[in-house]
């Protein structure tokens, strides 16, 4: 499923950042780029967070098609699944 795939792709620091990022998007519906950077700083990933974002976009978890600086889940169904099964 979606979460276990992430545990195979990302190492520990990237995974913690990714889970928090997706939890935030699930709870708020979206996240702005400056908030993503703040999370990256919190997880000490300032130099590698863009690669995580690109991987999440490429794998279909999130997109920023409405705005270059605003990320949302790619699918409302994925967002609902994430809220029910992962988000806390």
């Amino acid at each position: 499923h979606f979460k276990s795939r992430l545990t195979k792709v990302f190492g520990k620091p990237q995974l913690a950042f990714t889970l928090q990022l997706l939890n935030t998007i699930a709870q708020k519906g979206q996240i702005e780029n400056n908030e993503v950077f703040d999370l990256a700083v919190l997880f000490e990933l300032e130099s590698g967070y863009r690669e995580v974002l690109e991987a999440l976009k490429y794998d279909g978890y999130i997109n920023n098609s409405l705005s270059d600086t605003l990320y949302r889940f790619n699918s409302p169904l994925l967002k609902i699944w994430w809220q029910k099964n992962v988000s806390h």
Side-chain angles (χ1 to χ4, degrees):
H1 71 44
F2 296 109
K3 184 181 177 187
S4 64
R5 171 151 172 43
L6 296 173
T7 61
K8 294 175 185 172
V9 173
F10 295 118
K12 198 169 195 170
Q14 294 88 1
L15 179 61
F17 166 74
T18 301
L19 295 177
Q20 184 58 50
L21 174 69
L22 294 175
N23 286 342
T24 301
I25 297 171
Q27 293 166 3
K28 294 174 54 177
Q30 61 191 22
I31 191 168
E32 292 188 30
N33 202 36
N34 62 341
E35 294 175 274
V36 175
F37 181 75
D38 291 345
L39 273 179
V41 169
L42 184 66
F43 288 94
E44 300 177 355
L45 290 173
E46 300 91 353
S47 63
Y49 81 99
R50 291 183 194 275
E51 290 82 5
V52 172
L53 285 176
E54 289 304 314
L56 291 172
K57 285 170 54 178
Y58 180 80
D59 286 348
Y61 287 84
I62 62 173
N63 72 67
N64 62 337
S65 59
L66 295 178
S67 167
D68 289 343
T69 62
L70 192 64
Y71 294 91
R72 299 171 181 248
F73 271 100
N74 222 17
S75 159
L77 294 176
L78 176 56
K79 178 184 172 192
I80 292 168
W81 182 92
W82 196 269
Q83 288 172 324
K84 286 187 172 196
N85 295 288
V86 181
S87 189
H88 31 347

